[in-house]
Amino acid sequence: MEEKKSNLIVTIKKWHTVSSWTWGAGDDNCGICQMPLDGCAPECQFPGDDCPIVWGKCGHKFHLVCINTWIQRNINEPTCPMCREPWEFRDD
Amino acid sequence: MHKLFSLSKQNQTGGGKTGHRVSAGELRVQKDLDALELPPSTKIEYPDKDDILNFKIIMTPREGIYKDGTFTFTFQISTEYPHQVPKVHCDTKIFHPNIDTEGHICLNILREGWSPILTLNAVIFGLEFLFLEPNPDDPLNKEAAKLLKSDRYQFEQKAKRVMRGDNYY
């Protein structure tokens, strides 16, 4: 079928766009800082790329900045704060 | 969320007397305090109302050996909380296998068992548990542990005497 061309001229007066994003970690809070995982840890300025989240091989997730502080304090044998298993970053 | 937001906003505009930046530790403590569920037998007091990192927890156990005693604990929380374990000291003299005569407390979550996902609620539950279940197998006050193991009745009598203010050492 042939497409019919319209001669109608439309003026867009207003354009309202909304977008949303998520790390895909659900509505959970970070167990360490207790702020939403999609939000931002007190040390970060903005949610998003400024405050990424990471998963451990055990399946528990935290803000990167939060788990890093914990790991650095227990650098020899870092454990997951949630399950106390040895902490290893899950490679994605 | 709202409280925290207003707290940091107040701070930015120099609302605080000292004008210091609210630390991550203070934000987390504020969250813990907002979520605090104290039983009627437990009270919290702030010697300095502007300092949420230093407070006292006053407990009056309603059952067990230490029933009706009043015990004060001083909490000192670092700005690095929850990565740094809270410092808790027992200010009241007590005859207890897991609290020594200087007020040091042996509770796993206040030592190597600390984890940054724990909260002030968890610490207070831990203290309540110590009153209900003194543990003679991990003693800080060896005399108390020995007596609790060998003669529970004598132990209870002595614990009650110390609660009334008797010296025991």
Side-chain angles (χ1 to χ4, degrees):
Chain A
M1 217 189 288
E2 205 182 311
E3 231 177 80
K4 276 188 187 164
K5 265 202 174 166
S6 159
N7 291 326
L8 195 65
I9 294 167
V10 176
T11 312
I12 297 166
K13 287 187 160 172
K14 206 174 161 191
W15 184 303
H16 184 74
T17 52
V18 174
S19 67
S20 68
W21 67 273
T22 169
W23 291 116
D27 282 336
D28 285 354
N29 288 347
C30 169
I32 297 175
C33 69
Q34 306 279 358
M35 303 297 272
L37 285 166
D38 280 342
C40 101
E43 291 87 347
C44 304
Q45 267 191 301
F46 307 106
D49 289 340
D50 188 41
C51 194
I53 67 167
V54 287
W55 273 262
K57 282 193 175 159
C58 57
H60 296 117
K61 46 196 186 275
F62 305 94
H63 291 125
L64 176 63
V65 59
C66 296
I67 191 68
N68 261 347
T69 307
W70 178 244
I71 290 170
Q72 254 136 52
R73 285 181 159 266
N74 303 274
I75 199 78
N76 294 320
E77 281 178 276
T79 54
C80 170
M82 208 64 92
C83 63
R84 301 182 193 271
E85 289 290 309
W87 176 267
E88 281 181 83
F89 287 100
R90 195 183 77 186
D91 358 280
D92 286 318
Chain B
M1 257 326 248
H2 267 291
K3 246 186 192 166
L4 284 167
F5 183 63
S6 57
L7 188 70
S8 54
K9 211 160 90 176
Q10 186 190 33
N11 187 52
Q12 277 163 16
T13 54
K17 261 193 290 182
T18 51
H20 77 301
R21 262 188 72 88
V22 175
S23 64
E26 281 171 283
L27 288 170
R28 174 54 147 69
V29 169
Q30 187 60 61
K31 287 223 148 203
D32 280 22
L33 292 172
D34 289 345
L36 208 56
E37 286 173 10
L38 294 180
S41 57
T42 303
K43 296 199 164 27
I44 183 165
E45 278 178 10
Y46 300 92
D48 174 359
K49 268 188 282 174
D50 295 325
D51 181 4
I52 57 166
L53 297 179
N54 291 282
F55 53 85
K56 291 186 188 293
I57 290 287
I58 300 130
M59 287 185 179
T60 306
R62 295 279 162 97
E63 54 189 316
I65 297 168
Y66 301 96
K67 184 174 185 284
D68 297 333
T70 298
F71 303 92
T72 303
F73 296 89
T74 297
F75 279 59
Q76 282 180 287
I77 302 175
S78 125
T79 51
E80 282 157 62
Y81 181 77
H83 295 288
Q84 179 96 46
V85 54
K87 272 193 194 148
V88 183
H89 178 267
C90 182
D91 302 345
T92 310
K93 211 163 53 159
I94 183 170
F95 189 64
H96 191 297
N98 313 110
I99 302 176
D100 72 12
T101 54
E102 317 238 279
H104 301 121
I105 302 163
C106 181
L107 181 66
N108 64 343
I109 58 166
L110 290 177
R111 292 165 178 242
E112 76 292 340
W114 176 254
S115 153
I117 59 151
L118 291 173
T119 61
L120 293 175
N121 261 329
V123 174
I124 293 166
F125 283 141
L127 294 176
E128 279 166 359
F129 184 73
L130 275 189
F131 283 121
L132 295 177
E133 296 284 338
N135 174 12
D137 297 321
D138 186 18
L140 214 51
N141 180 337
K142 292 201 172 86
E143 186 201 334
K146 211 170 132 190
L147 191 58
L148 174 57
K149 266 186 162 170
S150 63
D151 189 340
R152 190 176 171 97
Y153 178 77
Q154 284 299 326
F155 172 82
E156 289 186 14
Q157 294 309 305
K158 189 155 185 178
K160 286 191 165 56
R161 280 205 304 279
V162 172
M163 274 161 57
R164 285 195 298 267
D166 273 20
N167 265 316
Y168 70 95
Y169 49 93

